[in-house]
Amino acid sequence: MPRTLSPNAPAVVVDDLSFAWPNGTPVLDRLSCTFPAGRTALIGANGSGKSTLLRLIAGELRPDAGTIHTSGVVGMVRQRLAEQPDATVSDLLGITPARTALRAIEGGSVAAHHFDTVGDDWDIESRALGVLHGLGLDADGVLLDRPATTLSGGQATQVALAGARLAGWDITLLDEPTNNLDARSRARVHDAVSAWSGVLIVVSHDRELLERVDALVELDPRGVRGFGGPFSQYQAHRDGLQAAAERQLRDADAELARAKARARAELEREQQRNRSARRERTRGNVSKGAADFFANRAEKNSGSKSDLHAAAVERAAALRADADAAARTTDPIRIDLPGTTVPAGKRVLAFEANGAHLALTGPERIRLTGDNGSGKSTLLAWALGSLPEGPSGGYPASVLGDARILTPVSVPVGWLRQPTDELDGFDTVLDAVRAAAPGRTPHEARALLARFQLTRDVLERRPATLSGGERFRLALARVLFADPTPQLLVLDEPTNNLDLDSVDQLVSALASYRGALIVVTHDDHLAGDLEVHREWRVSPGLTVTDRLP
């Protein structure tokens, strides 16, 4: 069983840690942070080193410098499970060595290493089946030997979490456990995290999961931030700090302006005094000796005052620079998209699926939901005319049943898919955008990319070298730059693998989108931020329910 730590005791201490990949690419530089006992979320932008830090804590990677101290045995549940085609449910649970040893002992083996492997886990199979039954799986002896690839993504994640429980690790590490899971599977993972009694460190961008933790650690270019509480409290705290930093920036701007004004005023006074002295000397009112004396004294005073004012301006500028760094945050994407406008009464799409009549009219925003495997992608591809036709010239009845198109899609469609692998086929960022609309000018492409915060220094880079957030912005820019401009935008699980800042940028970029929108997402927060009007819930057999969100 995992040991119990005091709530104030650190479970993991990272001290002055540095790590770079073999090609020299730095990932972490002199990082120091502490993970307390309990449930802690590790957050930060894509590319900030979160998953790498987990692997360092787990001992899979060795740091180039610095130390990591852990209070007990560490185990890790990875993001991509069951990748080996011959892996079984037993392998996911981590109990295959114990089961193999048990079979050997039952067959008459008295080898010491078999007994050492079993240890105290003589009932490991019955305990494992009990845990799996609690997950809602049909738990019998056959299940343990089933290929892991027969499990859904949600089932595989739950089985791996059950394995972590059975292993009795002191510290469990989870890497994006809800990525690509449907709402039902997400809810089960959320419940598992809520009920976790040991030490847990989880990398996630899932806001609902982030509400289930006791503390957060954020990797940020400006330094590591720790906070005791769930994400909503952290966000409120961070917003308060941001507001204070912006006030300090305004004060620093004002003080810098005042310092420059005082320096200008002093310079103008000095110039006026010099002009007056020259006039007096010209009129002969001052002797040469006296003039030289006053000139030398004035020059010394002037130099002293100039130095004082210059130092004041320099101090004010330094304070302003510090305030600007503290207040700096990711700028929202604001773009004007008049070409996307769809009139309120225009019928964009209508179809019938198993008796349900569904229509998208005007600039409506529809959320498409349903369990993984329910047919969402099939329905969407068919409704938009991109599902391959069967050999008889019609769509396969086994897939679509009695579904039929009533009004074919009547406007240009833009489809933002995840992942964004198609970007890697282009030599430069600029090429990737121009390929979406060859008739538009390079100047138009550069102007749009600038509005998506892809500035001149990245335009000639290969898309493969961009960060996750930059790739996402490039993919969205390609969709919206297309000619003709899309008046129906389809977002297929857009937040999978996106960090929180990138999700916020997606929402801000679409604030001025005036066309129709369909978003496939299990993320309630995203649906709320996008202000969807209705929800189409898909069930197996392409049964679709139209309801308010």
Side-chain angles (χ1 to χ4, degrees):
M1 292 294 291
R3 69 185 69 186
T4 301
L5 296 176
S6 164
N8 297 320
V12 177
V13 177
V14 177
D15 185 31
D16 207 28
L17 183 74
S18 295
F19 178 80
W21 294 117
N23 65 3
T25 302
V27 182
L28 301 169
D29 183 31
R30 305 194 67 176
L31 174 70
S32 295
C33 58
T34 299
F35 294 88
R39 299 160 299 182
T40 303
L42 178 59
I43 62 175
N46 288 341
S48 60
K50 302 183 299 298
S51 295
T52 302
L53 180 56
L54 284 195
R55 295 181 65 190
L56 286 160
I57 294 172
E60 294 182 0
L61 299 173
R62 294 180 62 84
D64 298 325
T67 60
I68 300 174
H69 174 75
T70 58
S71 300
V73 178
V74 180
M76 183 169 174
V77 177
R78 289 162 183 78
Q79 183 178 151
R80 290 175 290 275
L81 299 166
E83 289 184 336
Q84 297 179 352
D86 56 347
T88 66
V89 172
S90 179
D91 294 331
L92 275 188
L93 287 168
I95 63 173
T96 297
R99 292 182 68 218
T100 301
L102 279 171
R103 295 293 175 269
I105 293 170
E106 290 170 355
S109 173
V110 293
H113 69 273
H114 286 144
F115 287 88
D116 291 340
T117 300
V118 173
D120 296 326
D121 290 332
W122 295 94
D123 61 344
I124 189 64
E125 289 191 347
S126 60
R127 286 195 292 120
L129 292 172
V131 171
L132 294 173
H133 180 74
L135 295 174
L137 298 175
D138 186 12
D140 55 26
V142 177
L143 174 61
L144 297 178
D145 295 316
R146 269 178 55 187
T149 53
T150 64
L151 300 176
S152 69
Q155 289 172 330
T157 299
Q158 293 171 70
V159 167
L161 290 177
R165 283 295 197 194
L166 291 170
W169 299 325
D170 296 299
I171 300 169
T172 301
L173 311 177
L174 305 182
D175 191 6
E176 297 282 7
T178 60
N179 264 15
N180 304 304
L181 299 190
D182 57 35
R184 192 191 309 272
S185 298
R186 282 187 175 210
R188 287 174 177 160
V189 174
H190 296 162
D191 291 343
V193 169
S194 294
W196 206 272
S197 57
V199 177
L200 185 70
I201 301 175
V202 53
V203 169
S204 182
H205 301 126
D206 180 346
R207 293 193 187 184
E208 183 61 31
L209 186 149
L210 296 178
E211 288 301 307
R212 311 298 182 98
V213 300
D214 306 306
L216 295 106
V217 172
E218 181 181 21
L219 298 187
D220 185 276
R222 291 175 289 187
V224 182
R225 302 177 183 179
F227 182 79
F231 183 75
S232 58
Q233 293 180 16
Y234 172 71
Q235 192 171 36
H237 173 72
R238 187 176 62 177
D239 289 345
L241 292 177
Q242 181 66 29
E246 289 172 356
R247 287 195 299 271
Q248 290 177 346
L249 177 58
R250 290 193 295 271
D251 291 344
D253 279 333
E255 178 55 32
L256 178 58
R258 287 192 293 268
K260 289 180 176 179
R262 287 192 293 267
R264 285 195 301 271
E266 179 58 33
L267 178 62
E268 291 170 359
R269 285 193 294 270
E270 177 60 25
Q271 290 173 340
Q272 178 61 37
R273 285 194 294 269
N274 289 339
R275 286 193 294 271
S276 298
R278 284 194 296 271
R279 284 195 300 269
E280 291 299 314
R281 287 196 300 272
T282 300
R283 294 170 181 168
N285 295 332
V286 180
S287 67
K288 183 179 184 306
D292 290 341
F293 171 78
F294 287 119
N296 289 333
R297 188 175 69 177
E299 184 176 349
K300 291 180 181 179
N301 289 339
S302 174
S304 177
K305 289 180 179 179
S306 295
D307 290 343
L308 288 174
H309 285 296
V313 171
E314 186 176 347
R315 285 195 302 272
L319 290 172
R320 198 270 175 202
D322 291 342
D324 180 55
R328 189 167 298 161
T329 186
T330 303
D331 293 329
I333 298 173
R334 304 294 186 195
I335 51 177
D336 188 27
L337 299 168
T340 64
T341 301
V342 176
K346 182 178 179 63
R347 178 66 62 89
V348 174
L349 171 69
F351 61 92
E352 190 176 271
N354 291 319
H357 183 279
L358 300 130
L360 176 57
T361 304
E364 284 190 301
R365 297 189 169 197
I366 304 294
R367 179 187 184 186
L368 194 64
T369 64
D371 293 344
N372 287 345
S374 61
K376 299 187 300 298
S377 296
T378 299
L379 176 69
L380 199 54
W382 166 75
L384 298 179
S386 60
L387 188 71
E389 294 188 354
S392 63
Y395 294 107
S398 60
V399 174
L400 297 171
D402 64 354
R404 61 193 182 97
I405 298 291
L406 301 176
T407 303
V409 63
S410 59
V411 297
V413 178
W415 202 315
L416 181 64
R417 293 178 171 87
Q418 290 286 353
T420 56
D421 295 339
E422 79 281 356
L423 297 177
D424 296 332
F426 297 99
D427 291 332
T428 69
V429 168
L430 189 60
D431 289 341
V433 171
R434 293 203 64 202
R440 297 188 189 268
T441 67
H443 174 74
E444 289 175 312
R446 291 189 183 93
L448 179 77
L449 287 167
R451 291 197 291 271
F452 276 87
Q453 298 167 19
L454 295 169
T455 50
R456 182 177 302 176
D457 60 324
V458 302
L459 296 188
E460 298 304 320
R461 286 172 53 187
R462 295 185 64 86
T465 68
L466 301 180
S467 69
E470 289 170 333
R471 285 176 66 89
F472 166 73
R473 295 199 300 276
L474 174 57
L476 183 57
R478 269 173 49 84
V479 171
L480 296 177
F481 190 62
D483 190 10
T485 305
Q487 293 179 308
L488 170 58
L489 184 61
V490 180
L491 309 177
D492 193 356
E493 295 287 0
T495 59
N496 280 352
N497 305 308
L498 284 188
D499 58 46
L500 295 168
D501 284 342
S502 295
V503 175
D504 289 341
Q505 288 181 330
L506 168 64
V507 173
S508 68
L510 297 181
S512 58
Y513 182 74
R514 305 172 190 177
L517 183 145
I518 298 175
V519 56
V520 183
T521 183
H522 301 297
D523 187 336
D524 292 337
H525 287 277
L526 176 66
D529 290 343
L530 289 177
E531 299 180 345
V532 299
H533 301 105
R534 288 185 291 127
E535 178 182 338
W536 291 346
R537 179 163 183 82
V538 182
S539 301
L542 290 189
T543 300
V544 187
T545 305
D546 189 355
R547 61 186 186 182
L548 295 176

